Amino acid sequence: MTELTQSFTDHEQVPLRDYAERAYLDYSMYVVLDRALPNIGDGLKPVQRRIVYAMSELGLSAASKHKKSARTVGDVLGKFHPHGDSACYEAMVLMAQPFSYRYPLIDGQGNFGSPDDPKSFAAMRYTESRLAPYAKALLSELGMGTVDFQPNFDGTLKEPVILPARLPNVLLNGGTGIAVGMATDIPPHNLNEVVTACIRLLDEPKATVEQLCEHVKGPDYPTDAEIITPRDDLLKIYETGNGSVKARAVYTREDTDIIITALPHQVSPAKVLEQIAQQMRDKKLPMVEDLRDESDHENPTRLVITPRSNRVDIEQLMNHLFATTDLERNYRVNLNIIGINGKPQVLNLRELLKQWLKFRTDTVTRRLEFRLDQVVDRLHILEGLLVAYLNIDEVIRIIRTEDEPKPALMAAFGLTATQAEAILELKLRNLAKLEEMKIRGEQEALEEERQYLELTLGSKARMKTLIKNELAEDAEKYGDERRSRIVEREAAQALKEEDLMSSEPVTVILSQAGWVRAAKGHDIDAGALNYKAGDEFQDAARGRSNQQAVFLDSAGRAYALPAHTLPSARGLGEPLTSRFNLSEGARFTYALAGDADQKVLLASTFGYGFITATENLHSRMKAGKAMLTVRDGAEPVRPAVLTKDADTIVCATSDGYLLAFPLSELPELAKGKGNKMIQVPPKRLKAGEEHMVGMVVIGEGQDVLVWAGKQYLRMSSKDLEHYRSDRAKRGRKLPKGYQRVTMLEVSSE
């Protein structure tokens, strides 16, 4: 027991909170620095850097033969990256996919996936790979003392801390990653544009982001889809390091077909087809007849959409598809990078390029200094070799006769240990007469190179010129034309449900018991249809199948349903109460149908009314929408639809008073009580003895039919002159026999 207690006291005791906090912080920093975020220098994450370095160590240059990918993955895991082989291979495949990387680092042979399914690549035992030509821009200066090396995970090998990139790969290929508490989303860019911006910043260190954006127009994705983000928004992204970019598919017309030739980055053609097909199955795309994929080797992206007829508005259809499918896609931009100080930071375009140029300047400086040291060392050795050749016989004698020739040579000719060692390592074949000339020629060339190196290292202007020339040289070698065109387009707008439905004439029929149905066509005698026992015709409205059917109840509330969802008139219909919650004591009284912008006149039996657009009556709420304010005892009057040339309102009371006044005198409201239309004595109104029974809105040349029971009086525009006055007047009495008015309607003849 004592020994067990002693073993526990030998260990450090740490509060669990402190231990958990420190462990989580360590893990967070590991994920940020060693897994998720790219380094500004070479634009690579550790696993990508190790894959590229391991392939270079295997001799898999762009000029070599392909080797099995499993060989590379094995080397990466065994030497530098002790993690999962599947994750390592997936990172390797990503760098080989031309549809994922703007400038691929690996040249793959075999099945490396497809735009339809980037993860459909074959296993690593089946594929082969080597480095792509562009990878040379990251590796060509590796053995020139440009970067530091660090021990690998088991300390048996060395690996580079960073690759000496000659180009700002962090912008060219971009990258995404999710760390702990932060993420990065860097879009790819065009090499020529970025290099031009770097040169501009070298020439003008105070150049603003706006000036640099004269060169860097925007992201340049591996696909040919258009970038439709406005230029001002793109500028804000580069000024702040945050924002989003919108890319849209490209399409052309071939006869009546729509041909989609390019999709946004990382959008699967199969998924787009499925999204469109789903809408077709749901009958939400009646204007599309056929859909097929004709992609092949010659046309990597060729999706064909066949409209139902040549009357279909193609632009409107495509705008709907852009808004509802992956034919248009948003890409988040977050320029979060591990900077030259080793810390993660969100950078704007100027700061990003400035830091990379600082990295490049340091790299070039180290390269030149490394080469200068080599040149100085070689000149020193050549100086000793020249002494040996001028005194070759004495040198040979010393080597043959002396037990320790090295100190003897140093003493005889004043040589250093390095020079004496070089002389002793000479091969007999190099003792030819022409060797002295070769040494002197090499000395001259190296002396000239030394002067150049010293001048360049000692001059900032020369250093800038060298970096600019190398950038221009690499742009000439690896640069290409922009693939993602930047085009300003209007925002895509999805079509409303009624716009997507086929437009056919329908008649909406409402019964007194609140049952509803819809019959095809407008020549329907609604009163002659069959109704349930004890039920009969109440109201009907003519509209189209792609419009909303509106119902008004006795409390002044409006309800709406898509006309195409109503049951067929072949049956008895269905009660509206199954779809809506009607308030107690209320009943459905009238039906309306028409375009959303159609104007209607709403009024109550108390003689108050207003004009409103039909869309104001549209409500999907089960409880409906309060539209017309009616006082106790009042009810809505049958609504009147306004025609384009309507200019006069005609209304009548139950006691035979008729009034005609200008339409302009009534206000247009979204809802409410409205203004008084016709005067009814308050006492008679309160007693319920007199009320407004009907109203119509007419234009010039139209007649009004005044119904009194089963007989009617036709009144022309000339006849109505006798009844014209201002709004809210009493009006004039109708002739005897027509004073018990039951309804007004506009003559259809």
Side-chain angles (χ1 to χ4, degrees), residues 65-70 89 92 106-112 123-130:
K65 290 179 65 177
H66 292 82
K67 284 188 180 178
K68 286 289 184 184
S69 301
Y89 180 51
M92 179 180 170
I106 294 172
D107 175 18
Q109 187 169 272
N111 178 11
F112 273 80
M124 56 184 158
R125 61 182 177 274
Y126 299 120
T127 62
E128 297 177 338
S129 56
R130 65 182 179 188

Side-chain angles (χ1 to χ4, degrees), residues 371-390 395 406 409 413-427 430 435-436 438-440 442-444 446-447 450:
R371 178 57 185 165
L372 181 59
D373 290 341
Q374 286 182 323
V375 169
V376 170
D377 290 345
R378 182 61 181 167
L379 283 171
H380 180 64
I381 290 171
L382 288 176
E383 186 180 342
L385 292 177
L386 190 58
V387 170
Y389 277 106
L390 293 175
V395 168
K406 185 174 179 178
L409 287 172
F413 302 107
L415 302 174
T416 64
T418 305
Q419 290 172 325
E421 190 65 34
I423 292 170
L424 291 172
E425 289 179 358
L426 273 174
K427 293 181 180 179
N430 293 333
E435 199 65 31
E436 181 185 344
K438 289 183 181 179
I439 292 173
R440 291 191 183 277
E442 188 179 351
Q443 272 185 322
E444 290 176 6
L446 290 176
E447 191 61 43
R450 183 176 72 171

Side-chain angles (χ1 to χ4, degrees), residues 531-545:
Y531 293 88
K532 289 182 63 178
D535 195 7
E536 58 185 48
F537 170 73
Q538 170 69 20
D539 195 22
R542 294 174 178 175
R544 305 197 74 82
S545 57

